Amino acid sequence: MLSVPTLWTVFIINFLALGLIWAYVARSYPAFGAARFWTASALVASAGASCAMLRVMLTDSLLPLLAAGALMVFAAGLAAMGIERFYDKPATWRATLLTTALAFAGLGTFIFAYDSMPMRILVYTVAQVTPFALTLKLLLSSENGRVSPGARLAGIVASVLIGIYALRAVGALLQPGEFSFVRFSAGQSLVILLMVFLSMALNFGFLLMAIDRLRNEVADLALLDDLTGVGNRRHLLQRLTEECARSDRNGEAFALLVIDLDGFKGINDTHGHAAGDACLQHFTLMAQTRLRPGDMLARTGGDEFCIVLPSSTLREGAMIARRVLEVCRADAEQCTGKDIPIAVSIGVAQWTREIGLHPDRLVAAADHALYDAKKGGKNGYATCEPKAPELADPLEATLRKRA
């Protein structure tokens, strides 16, 4: 049977290694704020385990026991704050510091004022499990329609930890003197080994949560335009495919706007590409102010944009086109000095049964309407009711660069 000091040494090394891993993650990904809390949690837990081992070696003093209990409670609070930060919830220090202070006061009372091991275990248990219990809902709830595998693992491990601490507290109240993390017995050795394993599993769950979040962020970046921050051509095609499939199932139409900035080549030639980029960014901001929740703006290349309008008819698409034109015209009227006015032409089309599952046909119809708007004098819009397969040009051709 392993000795208790040996097991506590394993505990210390385990938390120290986890702290170093999280420190590396926090340094590599500075924007990932949860990693800093989990780093601090692991290192504080390592310090708490060190104090607990010191209590095993210095049996005449209970001060290490008080320090160990307070540090382990503080570590649990830091871990819970990391979970809250991960889910973009306010991670306040007040609850963690208050729980730690109450645990310190309670442990101190039942160590020095009234020596009672069962009450010490009860105070420690309540303080230790409270932060995890309060974050279980976050770990086990769905995010964007799915539950992260890492969060599910962390939630299950946290639930098991809560159960172990609760059983230990009940056992200590029923059989005083038999439940202690510093006693040399096979039962206590087994509990310590189990706690080491569960602490590793909990942090592994946190690590999977981090990997899943970073992977989703990379996937999102692959669907965004670098300059304007709106969807790119790949995102547009993905969204159009989804909307066509949805409309084909339920028969509900949606609309598409294809937008081209008038005279954009002249802006680049006269004012430079930096000014052209600024115009694209400015138009993006203006257009977004006229969209509804659920509408999607995407830049498909150069000075070309598209707007997907879910559950919208051709008439509603024309209404949005007028809104975009109005905000651009109002902005152009206020231009003075070196300000560059922005004018746009817009083509509007609506999904029909003839389009079916072929988004390129809808893009082609809106593109034809755009050319009608250009022929009508630019800085306006035109509509087109898409009709059948003769408009089924490849998306690459219909989204070609125009100057």
Side-chain angles (χ1 to χ4, degrees):
M1 181 178 63
L2 293 174
S3 66
V4 172
T6 302
L7 292 173
W8 278 111
T9 302
V10 173
F11 222 151
I12 295 168
I13 295 174
N14 170 62
F15 279 121
L16 187 59
L18 291 172
L20 294 176
I21 292 172
W22 281 118
Y24 180 79
V25 173
R27 183 186 176 116
S28 301
Y29 303 97
F32 189 59
R36 293 193 291 273
F37 287 99
W38 291 333
T39 300
S41 175
L43 295 178
V44 170
S46 178
S50 300
C51 291
M53 188 175 70
L54 191 62
R55 159 65 180 135
V56 176
M57 294 185 295
L58 301 178
T59 56
D60 294 335
S61 175
L62 291 177
L63 284 175
L65 187 63
L66 176 61
L71 288 173
M72 297 301 284
V73 170
F74 187 49
L78 289 172
M81 290 177 68
I83 296 172
E84 292 172 339
R85 177 60 63 85
F86 180 86
Y87 287 101
D88 299 321
K89 304 294 181 182
T92 59
W93 287 93
R94 181 180 301 174
T96 298
L97 294 176
L98 179 61
T99 303
T100 304
L102 291 175
F104 184 85
L107 291 173
T109 298
F110 293 110
I111 288 176
F112 301 107
Y114 178 74
D115 188 7
S116 174
M117 179 179 292
M119 292 305 299
R120 289 201 297 267
I121 293 177
L122 180 62
V123 169
Y124 175 76
T125 298
V126 172
Q128 182 79 348
V129 304
T130 297
F132 289 119
L134 294 176
T135 54
L136 272 182
K137 184 178 179 180
L138 289 175
L139 292 173
L140 299 177
S141 61
S142 61
E143 184 182 23
N144 297 324
R146 61 183 290 270
V147 178
S148 165
R152 185 185 293 110
L153 174 61
I156 293 173
V157 172
S159 300
V160 174
L161 283 170
I162 292 172
I164 291 175
Y165 277 114
L167 289 175
R168 177 172 174 262
V170 172
L173 292 174
L174 296 178
Q175 296 182 349
E178 295 298 323
F179 292 83
S180 170
F181 282 153
V182 296
R183 299 190 70 145
F184 189 82
S185 67
Q188 298 311 314
S189 299
L190 180 61
V191 170
I192 293 175
L193 280 176
L194 184 59
M195 299 297 288
V196 171
F197 170 76
L198 291 175
S199 65
M200 292 178 62
L202 182 65
N203 279 271
F204 185 67
F206 292 160
L207 190 59
L208 287 179
M209 289 165 58
I211 292 173
D212 192 52
R213 172 67 59 82
L214 294 172
R215 181 180 58 191
N216 290 338
E217 289 180 357
V218 170
D220 290 342
L221 288 175
L223 298 176
L224 296 179
D225 176 61
D226 293 338
L227 177 63
T228 60
V230 299
N232 58 17
R233 181 181 174 279
R234 178 186 297 176
H235 196 184
L236 172 68
L237 181 58
Q238 177 179 308
R239 180 65 180 272
L240 285 176
T241 302
E242 294 171 356
E243 292 296 334
C244 283
R246 184 179 296 108
S247 295
D248 191 62
R249 286 194 304 270
N250 57 30
E252 185 178 30
F254 73 97
L256 175 70
L257 276 59
V258 175
I259 306 172
D260 186 86
L261 271 64
D262 296 328
F264 185 71
K265 184 176 184 301
I267 294 175
N268 278 335
D269 293 342
T270 304
H271 303 279
H273 289 281
D277 291 346
C279 287
L280 294 173
Q281 293 170 331
H282 186 52
F283 167 74
T284 299
L285 295 175
M286 289 193 296
Q288 287 177 321
T289 64
R290 294 300 181 266
L291 300 185
R292 307 162 303 180
D295 296 343
M296 175 194 170
L297 174 65
R299 181 187 176 207
T300 55
D303 60 337
E304 301 170 350
F305 292 84
C306 285
I307 298 177
V308 181
L309 306 174
S311 305
S312 301
T313 62
L314 188 68
R315 180 178 178 181
E316 291 169 324
M319 178 187 68
I320 298 297
R322 285 195 296 270
R323 288 181 181 179
V324 174
L325 283 168
E326 288 170 0
V327 71
C328 290
R329 290 168 180 170
D331 182 77
E333 291 175 358
Q334 297 176 2
C335 288
T336 58
K338 296 182 179 180
D339 294 338
I340 303 174
I342 297 175
V344 298
S345 295
I346 305 175
V348 187
Q350 172 189 309
W351 181 91
T352 63
R353 284 290 185 187
E354 291 76 14
I355 291 174
L357 299 176
H358 305 284
D360 51 324
R361 296 179 182 177
L362 180 60
V363 175
D367 206 40
H368 280 240
L370 172 65
Y371 278 107
D372 289 341
K374 292 278 190 182
K375 291 177 183 177
K378 301 183 179 182
N379 200 22
Y381 77 94
T383 61
C384 173
E385 186 76 26
K387 296 178 181 178
E390 66 266 19
L391 297 179
D393 298 327
L395 184 59
E396 289 79 2
T398 57
L399 294 180
R400 63 190 180 279
K401 182 178 179 181
R402 296 185 298 275

